[in-house]
Amino acid sequence: MRANRVPIEEIEREPAAFAERVTADGRFGRAAEPGRYRLVVSRACPWAHRVVMVRRLMGLEQAVSLAVADPVQEVIDGDPHWVFTEETGSPGGRDPVLGIHALREAYRAGDPGYDGGVSVPALVDVETGRVVSNDYDRLSTDMATEWGGLARAGAPDLYPEGLREEIEDIGERVYRDVNNGVYRAGFAPDQARYDAAVARLFERLDEMEERLSARRYLVGDHITLADVRLWSTLLRFDAVYHGLFKCNVRKISEYRALWGYARDLFQTPGFGDTANLDHIRAHYYRVMTGINPTGVVAAGPDPRGWLTPHHREELGGTPFGDGTPPGPVPEGEQVPPLGRRC
Ligand SMILES: N[C@@H](CCC(=O)N[C@@H](CS)C(=O)NCC(=O)O)C(=O)O
C-alpha cells in the first residue's frame, strides 16, 4: 500500500505532483481556452471545494467543465481511489468527457509508472487526458486572478492587490491551525499531539470569532480568497470534524460570530449552492475506517440550521463589492437541497 495520503504521525502534505499553470495569456505555457480543461473534484474534499467555489464565483463554468467523483473511493490495488460511478451520475461508471473510471488513469496518462498520490482537485487537459495541476492553492488563486477574459462580467475581485498580504497572513494561520489543524487532531497518533492540535485549532477559531464579531468578512469589506479558504472547513466542521475528528471543544454553531458568518456565506451564491453535506458525511465516515472502523455514517446535525437568518448585513460590507452575484448553477451541477436527516 502506498504511503497513506494522511500519514498517521503528522499531517505533512506533499507538494503537488503536477503544478503547471494555466493563465489567460498562456505566459507559463498553457492558455485557458474554453473547453480545454476539466476540473475533477469530490464534493467531499475541502481543498477541491475551494476551487469549485472560485470557479463559480468567477463564472468560469463554461470555460472549465466539472467532473464530480463518487464521495466513497473504490479500493484499487489496495488503495482507495476516486472513481466515477453510475450512482453519482456517470453513465457506465466513466466520466463522459475524459472516458476514465478512476482518476488515477489521468495521473498515469503521461507516465504509466506514476505511483505518487492521486488527489482531488485535479485539472485535466481534455485533449491529452493528462493531469496538468493538482495544486489546489495555485489553481484557486490563478482562477481568481489569471483567467481574465474567460471570467463572467461582474466577477468579484477575490484577491485585491492591496489586500494580498493580509489575505496570505490570515490564510497561513488558518491553513496551519484550522484547515489542516482538524486533520492533525483527527489523525493524531497520541494524546499529546491531539491535545496540541486541538488547542491550536480552538485558539485560532477563537481569534476568528473575535475578528468576525466586528466585521462581516475576514479581510476588507467583500468576499476574498481568505473567506473561501476558511469557509470550506467551517462547512464541514459540525458534520464531520466535531465528531469524527474529535474537534469537540465547541461546535461552529456555538460561536455567535463564526456561525453567523458561516451561514451568511452559505446563503451567498457560490458557497451553499456548491455544498453537498451528504457527500461530505459519506466520504469522511465511510472512507476513514482507521478512525471509524464500522463505517457507520453519523446523521446530524440537522442541516436546515444553515438556512436560518444570520443578520450579518448589519455589519455592513457587500459580498461582491463592485461586482455581482453569480447566476444560476448550471444544469447538471446542482447540489441536492438540504434535507432533514435526524
Ligand atoms: N493534494 C493536496 C490536497 C488535496 C487533498 O488532500 N485531497 C484529498 C481529498 S480531501 C485526496 O484526494 N486525497 C487522496 C485520497 O484520499 O486518496 C495536499 O495534500 O496538499
Side-chain angles (χ1 to χ4, degrees), residues 45-228:
C45 173
W47 318 101
H49 197 172
R50 294 180 183 194
V51 188
V52 172
M53 287 188 269
V54 171
R55 168 180 174 268
R56 175 148 166 69
L57 290 165
M58 301 304 291
L60 293 168
E61 291 110 321
Q62 301 310 318
V64 54
S65 64
L66 187 71
V68 177
D70 194 299
V72 180
Q73 289 147 297
E74 181 181 313
V75 176
I76 303 174
D77 296 338
D79 286 314
H81 277 280
W82 297 110
V83 293
F84 299 97
T85 60
E86 294 265 8
E87 294 76 58
T88 45
S90 301
R94 293 192 169 269
D95 176 66
V97 173
L98 299 172
I100 56 174
H101 171 59
L103 176 57
R104 179 172 77 163
E105 295 164 45
Y107 273 78
R108 289 187 165 181
D111 170 13
Y114 175 78
D115 197 29
V118 174
S119 60
V120 287
L123 190 71
V124 180
D125 181 340
V126 171
E127 270 178 29
T128 63
R130 296 182 186 187
V131 173
V132 167
S133 175
N134 69 330
D135 185 340
Y136 66 87
D137 200 42
R138 175 66 81 183
L139 274 172
S140 47
T141 313
D142 276 349
M143 282 188 189
T145 57
E146 295 281 356
W147 285 53
L150 295 180
R152 67 185 172 90
D157 185 357
L158 296 172
Y159 201 49
E161 296 256 10
L163 299 178
R164 288 184 185 177
E165 213 171 297
E166 203 178 343
I167 292 171
E168 289 311 319
D169 180 53
I170 290 202
E172 214 176 291
R173 299 203 304 284
V174 165
Y175 169 78
R176 189 192 57 212
D177 299 335
V178 180
N179 303 140
N180 207 32
V182 292
Y183 285 87
R184 286 190 130 101
F187 288 92
D190 57 46
Q191 191 68 47
R193 276 175 280 191
Y194 166 77
D195 289 345
V198 160
R200 284 178 79 153
L201 166 63
F202 283 92
E203 200 178 298
R204 197 63 58 223
L205 288 176
D206 291 349
E207 180 196 327
M208 296 301 134
E209 169 74 5
E210 170 108 24
R211 188 177 178 93
L212 290 165
S213 296
R215 48 195 308 158
R216 189 162 174 196
Y217 302 110
L218 278 180
V219 180
D221 298 323
H222 320 296
I223 290 164
T224 65
L225 286 179
D227 301 300
V228 169

Side-chain angles (χ1 to χ4, degrees), residues 20-34:
E20 285 187 67
R21 289 185 65 185
V22 183
T23 62
D25 59 9
R27 72 183 187 286
F28 298 109
R30 284 187 173 268
E33 306 157 37

Side-chain angles (χ1 to χ4, degrees), residues 170 174 178 201-218 226-227 229-235 237-238 250-267 305-306 310 312 315:
I170 290 202
V174 165
V178 180
L201 166 63
F202 283 92
E203 200 178 298
R204 197 63 58 223
L205 288 176
D206 291 349
E207 180 196 327
M208 296 301 134
E209 169 74 5
E210 170 108 24
R211 188 177 178 93
L212 290 165
S213 296
R215 48 195 308 158
R216 189 162 174 196
Y217 302 110
L218 278 180
D227 301 300
R229 291 168 180 170
L230 175 60
W231 192 78
S232 70
T233 295
L234 298 184
L235 171 71
F237 203 95
D238 291 1
R250 274 182 289 284
K251 292 182 187 143
I252 295 304
S253 55
E254 291 167 354
Y255 281 98
R256 196 185 62 79
L258 267 178
W259 180 226
Y261 165 83
R263 282 176 294 153
D264 185 5
L265 290 178
F266 189 98
Q267 295 167 33
W306 285 100
H310 52 76
R312 297 278 298 175
L315 291 169

